[in-house]
Amino acid sequence: MISRRDFLQVSMAASAIVGGSGFGNWARLAAQQSLTQDQLLEFDTFGNVTLIHVTDIHAQLKPIYFREPEINLGVGEARGRVPHVTGAEFRKLYGIEDGSPSAYALTYDDFAALGKEYGRVGGLDRVATVVNAIRAARPDALLLDGGDTWHGSYTCYHTQGQDMVNVMNKLAPDAMTFHWEFTLGSERVLEHLENLPFAALGQNIFDKEWDEPSEYFESYRMFERGGTKVAVIGQAFPYMPIANPGWMFPEFSFGIRDERMQEIVDEARGEGAEVVVVLSHNGFDVDHKMAARVSGIDVILSGHTHDALPEPVLVGETIVVASGSNGKFVSRVDLDVRDGRMMGFKHKLIPIFSDVIEPDPEMTALIDEQRAPFADALSEVIGQTADDQLLYRRGNFNGTWDDLICDALLEEREADIAMSPGVRWGPSIMPGQEITREDLWNVTSMSYPNAYRTEMTGEFIHVILEDVADNLFNTDPYYQQGGDMVRIGGMGYAIDVTKPQGSRISNMTLLKSGEAIDPAKTYVVAGWASVNEGTEGPPIWDVVESYIKRQGTVSTAPNTSVTVTGV
């Protein structure tokens, strides 16, 4: 008798050979530069259960540009394994033609040139069109939001997430999980939860005082879809008090809690679940490890690390789906459930090309309503990029947006060294494009924005870099606590990603003098997004706006200050 894993492998093979995922079809059409909305949405309905996945929207209501990373290193068992494959290697792996819209959507090469040809991506009114089309074909489809939704824009900051709550309520997901939402503060999060018409999930969100599951979040919700019982388990970002300010949500604790995940999977199965779906904000490598450790999970919908993969990854008998970020993609997964088990699937990663997909008019009107009170501030032009300058934020070590932010910190705060957090969110700005206040806030908006100016010894700076490097390059995914390397201005260094904690960073150099950083010497350091309560300084958006306005046309020098070995 053929095994369930054999069935799943057949699904994977069919996707790879004949484009059963749907990706192959639009990739070939992309090569002909003849994409239409119908072609992007084309999908032969399969099985009896449909999942729709969006994640890491980061409050991007309108179409944007978003460049994928040039460097995405994997370490240990993840080395060379997707999603740690980029550029030409990625295109070769998935059969993507150079210069096609699929190359533009999924890789970084020639991004500026391809962006002029293929335009912006995303926009929640376009996402609504896609979701509505899937629901028309499969009315009982489950729409699941992977979190990082109520964060990341001017309007989201000024409404404390209300704009995104209003828009997502209109989109009507069936469930969501959480990460940056908690940086609105516990009180505001709980206010929003009271008005959510869908499930707020997080099996790993605990009451900190009593060390028991929080009463405000369900561990899972059972749905009846296609004559099948589907359990959706929530997995919030595990490292909230480490990566973000714990004083903003002191009532809660998190963690991976994979032993409890196993208990919840078993409980759901005991309640009759025929399919178990984990709606996760762990990050892809953590989800990969969890899939190998926890039995009985059919699908993990992965979020947090912003990876976009044209095909699911099979780990044992679990498929792991990665759906990108910023509203740039929507994933559709159709499942064939028979005799209480998932026996096969079809998957399609749908790119939201905003010039191809018609906006849903009702959603457009609602989005415009949310933005109307802030229209003047959003549209004010504060500068522009040079004709050869692309601003982007993705990659393990630097991005030009953060280079610009570091330049602003060095000059405006009169510092020797600048530090900018290695966050992944933030759209790109094309060469020669005007920079509006909205663009600036899209890469700086957070609820702890103060740009500090302080003194640090060389030894302490080294400790910081080593600590962040271990968060990124520890070979055990469960010790990778999110984000990329802290961006550094005014200083260079070398990093060997294969070394153990405490010995990865070397050759720290003060760029303005060329001198080695002295462990005993004190340096003036400017930065932002400190997790420490009471951090003083102007908000980062004011610092960078002042700098951009004085520059007029901004450009950053090529960043060669980080030497990477062991890759």
Side-chain angles (χ1 to χ4, degrees):
M1 179 181 293
I2 190 169
S3 70
R4 177 170 178 261
R5 179 171 173 79
D6 289 335
F7 266 109
L8 296 177
Q9 286 177 323
V10 168
S11 292
M12 299 291 285
S15 295
I17 294 170
V18 301
S21 69
F23 172 79
N25 295 331
W26 72 263
R28 287 191 291 274
L29 291 165
Q32 303 165 16
Q33 301 182 11
S34 59
L35 280 173
T36 68
Q37 177 171 307
D38 288 343
Q39 291 163 343
L40 286 177
L41 299 181
E42 184 180 6
F43 193 100
D44 292 330
T45 299
F46 174 79
N48 53 340
V49 174
T50 293
L51 310 175
I52 310 170
H53 183 225
V54 294
T55 190
D56 297 276
I57 293 170
H58 285 288
Q60 296 305 310
L61 295 172
K62 289 288 189 177
I64 58 167
Y65 294 103
F66 189 85
R67 177 189 184 269
E68 296 299 323
E70 182 172 346
I71 300 175
N72 185 0
L73 299 179
V75 293
E77 294 181 358
R79 183 173 181 173
R81 183 180 72 192
V82 294
H84 304 290
V85 180
T86 63
E89 187 179 354
F90 187 97
R91 294 194 299 277
K92 180 180 179 181
L93 180 64
Y94 291 107
I96 299 172
E97 301 240 4
D98 292 353
S100 65
S102 43
Y104 168 60
L106 289 163
T107 60
Y108 68 90
D109 300 280
D110 301 319
F111 180 84
L114 294 176
K116 290 180 181 178
E117 185 170 358
Y118 299 122
R120 297 175 190 261
V121 296
L124 283 187
D125 49 2
R126 277 79 167 176
V127 170
T129 295
V130 172
V131 170
N132 291 340
I134 296 172
R135 283 171 166 161
R138 184 62 68 79
D140 63 353
L142 280 170
L143 173 60
L144 303 171
D145 174 10
D148 277 3
T149 305
W150 312 338
H151 161 270
S153 73
Y154 186 98
T155 56
C156 191
Y157 177 89
H158 285 280
T159 64
Q160 292 187 290
Q162 191 64 56
D163 64 330
M164 290 306 300
V165 170
N166 294 344
V167 171
M168 292 305 290
N169 284 356
K170 172 74 172 174
L171 195 61
D174 295 281
M176 75 175 291
T177 194
F178 304 87
H179 172 200
W180 275 92
E181 287 79 8
F182 278 94
T183 64
L184 293 172
S186 297
E187 183 177 350
R188 185 59 169 166
V189 169
L190 296 180
E191 286 178 4
H192 285 320
L193 292 184
E194 290 180 2
N195 299 310
L196 287 189
F198 50 84
L201 303 180
Q203 73 86 19
N204 60 330
I205 306 176
F206 270 46
D207 181 292
K208 187 174 182 179
E209 181 177 359
W210 298 102
D211 192 31
E212 60 186 23
S214 171
E215 63 179 308
Y216 300 109
F217 300 89
E218 298 176 66
S219 294
Y220 70 100
R221 174 75 65 89
M222 193 80 80
F223 299 91
E224 183 85 24
R225 294 291 190 272
T228 298
K229 284 188 174 182
V230 182
V232 179
I233 304 172
Q235 176 78 359
F237 180 56
Y239 304 110
M240 284 297 306
I242 300 171
N244 304 97
W247 54 268
M248 290 184 163
F249 37 89
E251 306 94 327
F252 300 104
S253 65
F254 300 84
I256 295 173
R257 302 184 189 272
D258 60 2
E259 291 183 2
R260 184 168 193 271
M261 176 65 77
Q262 184 67 73
E263 294 172 0
I264 296 300
V265 171
D266 294 344
E267 178 182 324
R269 292 287 185 187
E271 292 293 324
E274 299 164 273
V275 175
V276 174
V277 177
V278 173
L279 180 60
S280 173
H281 206 89
N282 276 335
F284 193 89
D285 288 343
V286 177
D287 284 326
H288 195 287
K289 179 173 178 177
M290 176 176 280
R293 287 173 61 91
V294 178
S295 63
I297 300 173
D298 296 293
V299 182
I300 297 180
L301 301 174
S302 187
H304 177 59
T305 39
H306 292 198
D307 308 298
L309 295 181
E311 304 288 354
V313 171
L314 182 61
V315 183
E317 295 186 343
T318 302
I319 63 169
V320 185
V321 176
S323 305
S325 66
N326 288 271
K328 188 176 176 180
F329 298 97
V330 172
S331 282
R332 175 177 177 172
V333 187
D334 278 18
L335 308 177
D336 175 19
V337 183
R338 285 180 270 146
D339 300 322
R341 305 189 79 186
M342 184 183 84
M343 299 303 292
F345 68 90
K346 281 187 67 175
H347 164 271
K348 185 171 186 177
L349 181 70
I350 303 170
I352 309 300
F353 290 115
S354 58
D355 291 340
V356 176
I357 297 174
E358 288 290 328
D360 175 77
E362 291 186 7
M363 185 64 87
T364 300
L366 179 59
I367 289 171
D368 290 345
E369 180 184 325
Q370 309 307 306
R371 292 166 56 85
F374 311 100
D376 290 344
L378 291 170
S379 61
E380 183 177 338
V381 176
I382 60 175
Q384 71 175 52
T385 56
D387 290 340
D388 60 351
Q389 178 66 67
L390 172 69
L391 293 180
Y392 61 88
R393 171 189 278 163
R394 274 310 306 274
N396 292 144
F397 300 103
N398 66 281
T400 51
W401 250 126
D402 284 309
D403 290 341
L404 177 63
I405 290 171
C406 284
D407 289 347
L409 286 166
L410 289 171
E411 185 165 323
E412 298 292 317
R413 302 293 280 156
E414 299 179 336
D416 300 316
I417 296 168
M419 295 184 178
S420 187
V423 294
R424 297 183 179 93
W425 44 270
S428 307
I429 305 295
M430 300 292 278
Q433 182 181 329
E434 291 181 336
I435 303 172
T436 65
R437 182 170 291 113
E438 178 173 22
D439 295 326
L440 173 58
W441 278 68
N442 281 344
V443 293
T444 57
S445 177
M446 62 166 63
S447 54
Y448 48 105
N450 302 80
Y452 59 83
R453 184 179 187 274
T454 189
E455 292 185 345
M456 297 182 185
T457 64
E459 180 182 15
F460 187 62
I461 295 169
H462 183 263
V463 168
I464 291 174
L465 291 182
E466 288 283 1
D467 185 55
V468 177
D470 196 60
N471 288 345
L472 185 59
F473 298 116
N474 194 301
T475 55
D476 185 343
Y478 278 15
Y479 290 92
Q480 296 171 8
Q481 296 163 357
D484 286 316
M485 273 300 291
V486 59
R487 280 54 167 130
I488 299 293
M491 192 191 87
Y493 65 93
I495 178 171
D496 185 338
V497 300
T498 65
K499 297 289 187 181
Q501 183 176 15
S503 57
R504 292 187 179 97
I505 306 296
S506 63
N507 298 336
M508 293 166 51
T509 305
L510 190 66
L511 296 181
K512 65 182 179 182
S513 67
E515 298 175 351
I517 296 292
D518 184 342
K521 186 176 178 180
T522 297
Y523 300 88
V524 176
V525 178
W528 65 291
S530 169
V531 299
N532 296 321
E533 187 172 8
T535 299
E536 296 182 351
I540 187 62
W541 45 77
D542 284 353
V543 173
V544 182
E545 180 171 326
S546 175
Y547 178 78
I548 292 176
K549 282 183 172 178
R550 286 195 298 101
Q551 297 291 318
T553 299
V554 298
S555 185
T556 62
N559 190 333
T560 59
S561 61
V562 181
T563 301
V564 184
T565 56
V567 297

